[in-house]
Amino acid sequence: MNFSYTAFDEECDFRGPVVGSRVRVFRGPGPPPPSIELTIGGPSGSPPASSSSQPAKQYKSWQDAKAEGASKYSQRDFAGAIACFTAALGLLPPGGQQARGTKAQSAARKSCLSNRALCKMQASDHAGGVAGCTAVLAEDGENVKALLRRSLANEARHNLDAALDDMCDVLRLNPERAEVA
């Protein structure tokens, strides 16, 4: 019997199940089955005896982390790319209405959020994809790429009303999109 897992805890280092990570476990192919939530670790959450904890890679700049994330994505290493985009976000000023930083940093933040959401979707974490796209849309409500990605993630989650709402917004903002029309 085959099992797969999807990390959904932002604390996870995304290199696989890590001590303290929460994961969803489900069986083989087919429609989304019910999931089982569990926490990786020994008794009372302590690490198993064989656990070796590797520190996260340190980057000199958000540009380095973002570039490595793009490279890992092209190699289909989605977990590695998620870690890189998360590291890049940690090196950028926070977003939101009180955002600090330059326009380039704001654009990089939205790009990292959007790319991380895409990686989560590729790794079948569609809830994480929706959350990432929603974060982009909180900063830029007319980001067509984030709307399109969130629509696809909602469709994969069988949340068809939300998927349709986002797709209608994509068509409203950019009626020439061939893949939507």
Side-chain angles (χ1 to χ4, degrees), residues 57-148:
K57 182 173 179 179
Q58 298 295 313
Y59 295 94
K60 292 181 182 179
S61 69
W62 62 263
Q63 293 95 333
D64 292 341
K66 184 178 179 224
E68 187 171 336
S71 174
K72 287 186 181 292
Y73 178 84
S74 67
Q75 297 166 12
R76 301 190 56 79
D77 176 8
F78 303 123
I82 290 168
C84 292
F85 290 127
T86 300
L89 287 165
L91 296 169
L92 283 163
Q97 293 177 343
Q98 304 287 328
R100 295 174 302 221
T102 65
K103 285 186 179 184
Q105 289 172 329
S106 176
R109 178 175 168 70
K110 289 183 272 191
S111 175
C112 287
L113 284 167
S114 181
N115 290 342
R116 183 175 70 174
L118 178 62
C119 291
K120 288 182 178 190
M121 291 166 55
Q122 291 287 354
S124 297
D125 178 9
H126 300 292
V130 168
C133 291
T134 301
V136 173
L137 292 166
E139 295 183 27
D140 178 6
E142 295 188 347
N143 188 307
V144 174
K145 188 182 285 188
L147 282 166
L148 184 60

Side-chain angles (χ1 to χ4, degrees), residues 141 144 147 150 163-174:
V144 174
L147 282 166
R150 187 171 74 175
L164 182 60
D165 288 345
D166 284 343
M167 203 56 73
C168 288
D169 287 341
V170 168
L171 283 172
R172 179 183 53 80
L173 294 169
N174 192 354

